[in-house]
C-alpha cells in the first residue's frame, strides 16, 4: 500500500519515526516533506494534493497538535482528514468517514502510540453504504 506523509517543523521528527516504521512494515512511503515545511498549512496541502491528484488512498499529516493540518486539509473539496489521538478514532474515521488522511499532533501523541494509531488507520477499510450519504453531504458543502 502507498502512504503519503508530510510534516511541518513541529511534526517532522515524529514523521521520520513513523516513516521508518512504515517502511519496516513494507508500505511504500511518499514523503512530501523531506525537509520540514515552514507551516502546517503548506505540509497538509502538499499531502492533500498528492492524495487527490495521484489517487492515493491513505495519508498521514504531522504537526504540533494535529488540528491545524486537519483543518487546512479539509478546506479542499473531496478531502476528508481527521485529527486523531488514539486508536479507536483512527479505526472509526477510516471505516465510517472514509478518511483519506489522518493528522497526528507530535506534541500530543508519543512515538509508540503514533505507531498504533497509524496501524489501526491503515488496517481499516471504508465501509461505504449508509456512511457514503454523509460524505456526499459534506462534499456538497464545499
Amino acid at each position: 500500500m502507498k502512504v503519503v506523509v508530510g510534516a511541518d517543523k513541529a511534526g517532522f521528527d515524529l514523521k521520520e519515526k513513523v516513516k521508518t516504521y512504515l517502511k519496516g512494515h513494507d508500505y511504500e512511503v511518499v514523503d512530501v516533506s523531506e525537509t520540514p515545511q515552514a507551516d502546517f498549512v503548506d505540509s497538509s496541502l502538499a499531502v492533500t494534493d498528492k492524495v487527490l491528484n495521484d489517487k492515493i488512498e491513505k495519508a498521514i499529516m504531522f504537526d504540533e497538535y494535529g488540528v491545524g493540518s486537519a483543518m487546512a486539509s479539509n478546506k479542499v473539496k473531496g478531502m476528508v482528514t481527521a485529527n486523531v489521538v488514539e486508536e479507536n478514532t483512527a479505526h472509526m474515521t477510516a471505516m465510517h468517514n472514509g478518511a483519506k488522511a489522518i493528522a497526528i499532533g507530535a506534541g500530543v501523541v508519543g512515538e509508540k502510540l503514533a505507531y498504533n494509531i497509524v496501524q489501526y488507520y491503515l488496517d481499516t477499510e471504508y465501509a461505504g453504504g449508509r456512511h457514503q450519504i454523509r460524505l456526499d453531504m459534506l462534499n456538497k458543502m464545499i
Side-chain angles (χ1 to χ4, degrees):
M1 174 189 297
K2 193 178 288 189
V3 180
V4 180
V5 298
D8 69 358
K9 294 177 287 189
F12 190 79
D13 289 340
L14 184 57
K15 182 212 59 153
E16 288 295 303
K17 291 174 182 173
V18 169
K19 183 172 141 180
T20 299
Y21 170 86
L22 291 169
K23 287 181 176 182
H25 287 81
D26 296 325
Y27 290 97
E28 182 181 345
V29 179
V30 178
D31 189 348
V32 298
S33 59
E34 290 288 337
T35 58
Q37 298 275 332
D39 194 274
F40 66 78
V41 174
D42 296 327
S43 60
S44 64
L45 291 179
V47 170
T48 298
D49 180 66
K50 204 71 162 153
V51 167
L52 295 178
N53 291 324
D54 292 355
K55 308 266 190 264
I56 298 174
E57 293 181 23
K58 302 275 186 162
I60 308 159
M61 304 171 189
F62 299 87
D63 65 20
E64 182 72 19
Y65 302 107
V67 177
S69 291
M71 288 173 29
S73 179
N74 283 320
K75 293 281 188 180
V76 179
K77 185 173 180 73
M79 192 63 182
V80 177
T81 303
N83 180 29
V84 178
V85 296
E86 47 76 34
E87 299 93 339
N88 190 54
T89 303
H91 171 77
M92 295 307 291
T93 198
M95 181 180 283
H96 287 187
N97 304 124
K100 295 177 181 180
I102 57 172
I104 297 176
V108 179
V109 172
E111 181 180 343
K112 289 182 182 180
L113 180 55
Y115 298 153
N116 287 343
I117 289 169
V118 165
Q119 201 60 65
Y120 271 74
Y121 169 66
L122 296 177
D123 286 345
T124 305
E125 291 189 32
Y126 175 51
R130 66 184 175 91
H131 306 292
Q132 187 61 44
I133 295 167
R134 293 184 207 116
L135 288 179
D136 293 341
M137 292 169 73
L138 288 170
N139 278 325
K140 288 178 184 175
M141 293 172 56
I142 300 174

